[in-house]
Amino acid sequence: MIRKAVIPVAGWGTRVLPATKSLPKPMLPVADMPAIYYIVEEAVASGIEHIIFITSRHMRAVEDFFDEQPELKHLLASKQNNAMLDRLNAIETMAKFSFVRQSQPRGLGHAVLMARNAVGHEPFALLLGDDLMWSGADNPPCLRQLMDVYEQRHASVIATMPVPDAEVSRYGIIRGERVGPQLMQVRGLIEKPSLAEAPSNQAVVGRYILSHGIFDLLEHTPPGRGGEIQITDALCALLAHEPVYAYEYHGRRYDTGDTVGWLMTSLDYALRRPEFAPALRAYLRTLDLSGEN
Ligand code: G1P
């Protein structure tokens, strides 16, 4: 059973500057919640009990969001705003939260390695903070879909999606052998390849179930693409020891890592909320979308 999830949130979010100069990227609002809330919600809805955030010195706001705010609760109680009090209480008690600092930005692989002691000797989930997964009403959450594969195969599983040629250089790309509907056994991985180097169009998206064997390999993974220690390189090394699967999950991915992606995400998430949708739709209908403004 997968009980723990690692969520690295240490990066600056340079593609969303200047908004992220002082507001940590995971705190950018998507509808009425910070983006990071939806990642935690997906993990908890999938059965995760303990969330380990990898943070950095400018991420205090993330810690504060999942912690109690007694003054605010007092204020809401005095105003008898019980509905909001219940919402805040629900956020604080969603899961057990731990925070581990990554003091230097040495890459995603290095961030994951920081979680080694907190994870211990068990398989764990890894969710990347930029990627919001909408699985729709008919599908289990994306992470749950990966857990279901893990429970059948007892091996690491990565979520993938097909991307157009023009986008392969933005992702980790897998070489795989089809072993079932939507399921591939991974034979190779390469981080952000050129189109010529790319072995396929199957891109790694931000959800993984990893065996704890990944930690030993991360200890010895040299800096790769961008001079950073890459989880993709450690996964490639893991292939020599254990099977790794890639699952083309059901659902839609939102990339909040750049400004336009974040704006689109916030709009779609707000339009799915019955309390916001009617007014927002009515407003959108009034817009002149001819491109003149
Ligand atoms: C990371 C991973 C990459 C993956 C991507 C998905 O890259 O290194 O393999 O395809 O997330 O969002 P990043 O976007 O953090 O550079």
Side-chain angles (χ1 to χ4, degrees):
M1 208 167 69
I2 313 291
R3 300 179 307 126
K4 296 182 182 178
V6 175
I7 308 184
V9 292
W12 271 110
T14 48
R15 289 183 293 147
V16 208
L17 279 168
T20 50
K21 185 181 171 204
S22 58
L23 181 72
K25 183 172 58 165
M27 297 305 292
L28 286 173
V30 169
D32 62 345
M33 286 288 191
I36 190 69
Y37 168 81
Y38 299 95
I39 313 254
V40 172
E41 184 186 46
E42 178 195 333
V44 170
S46 302
I48 293 293
E49 296 163 7
H50 182 178
I51 308 266
I52 300 150
F53 288 105
I54 311 301
T55 68
S56 53
R57 64 182 70 79
H58 53 279
M59 288 292 160
R60 280 287 300 277
V62 176
E63 295 190 33
D64 289 347
F65 182 77
F66 291 101
D67 195 6
E68 284 198 40
Q69 275 274 20
E71 299 87 351
L72 182 57
K73 282 190 184 171
H74 191 71
L75 178 73
L76 292 172
S78 72
K79 293 180 185 296
Q80 286 163 357
N81 189 345
N82 293 329
M84 188 54 74
L85 263 176
D86 288 348
R87 285 188 77 191
L88 297 189
N89 283 329
I91 292 167
E92 293 155 16
T93 54
M94 288 171 93
K96 175 181 173 191
F97 297 109
S98 302
F99 299 87
V100 180
R101 282 267 186 113
Q102 184 192 27
S103 38
Q104 287 186 22
R106 294 176 57 197
L108 179 59
H110 181 257
V112 175
L113 185 54
M114 298 288 101
R116 181 172 201 159
N117 286 343
V119 168
H121 281 271
E122 51 185 289
F124 63 99
L126 169 64
L127 299 96
L128 305 189
D130 279 353
D131 296 1
L132 262 53
M133 300 299 199
W134 176 257
S135 51
D138 300 330
N139 301 308
C142 178
L143 188 65
R144 183 68 245 171
Q145 296 177 38
L146 297 193
M147 288 176 172
D148 291 344
V149 175
Y150 175 84
E151 278 162 22
Q152 288 162 12
R153 302 272 170 169
H154 301 286
S156 300
V157 194
I158 314 168
T160 60
M161 68 176 189
V163 296
D165 285 356
E167 292 180 17
V168 291
S169 62
R170 306 213 307 237
Y171 297 93
I173 300 289
I174 68 149
R175 179 164 61 82
E177 197 178 301
R178 198 156 283 284
V179 291
Q182 296 160 264
L183 191 65
M184 289 184 154
Q185 182 159 357
V186 179
R187 299 295 183 193
L189 287 121
I190 171 165
E191 181 66 10
K192 304 196 174 80
S194 66
L195 182 57
E197 291 168 315
S200 77
N201 284 62
Q202 279 295 325
V204 176
V205 292
R207 300 292 182 271
Y208 311 69
I209 302 289
L210 298 172
S211 95
H212 68 86
I214 199 78
F215 290 123
D216 275 345
L217 296 164
L218 280 169
E219 297 269 13
H220 301 107
T221 301
R225 175 76 62 188
E228 297 189 334
I229 297 171
Q230 298 289 351
I231 190 78
T232 305
D233 295 342
L235 271 164
C236 209
L238 190 66
L239 296 177
H241 306 274
E242 301 170 10
V244 175
Y245 293 91
Y247 185 68
E248 203 181 309
Y249 70 101
H250 295 278
R252 173 164 177 195
R253 168 179 176 266
Y254 287 89
D255 183 357
T256 61
D258 68 52
T259 304
V260 172
W262 161 60
L263 290 169
M264 290 174 174
T265 309
S266 193
L267 188 57
D268 273 16
Y269 274 65
L271 285 170
R272 290 194 188 107
R273 293 278 296 278
E275 65 273 52
F276 304 137
L280 204 48
R281 265 202 211 98
Y283 171 68
L284 290 172
R285 278 191 211 103
T286 69
L287 294 182
D288 174 5
L289 298 177
S290 62
E292 303 302 315
N293 300 315

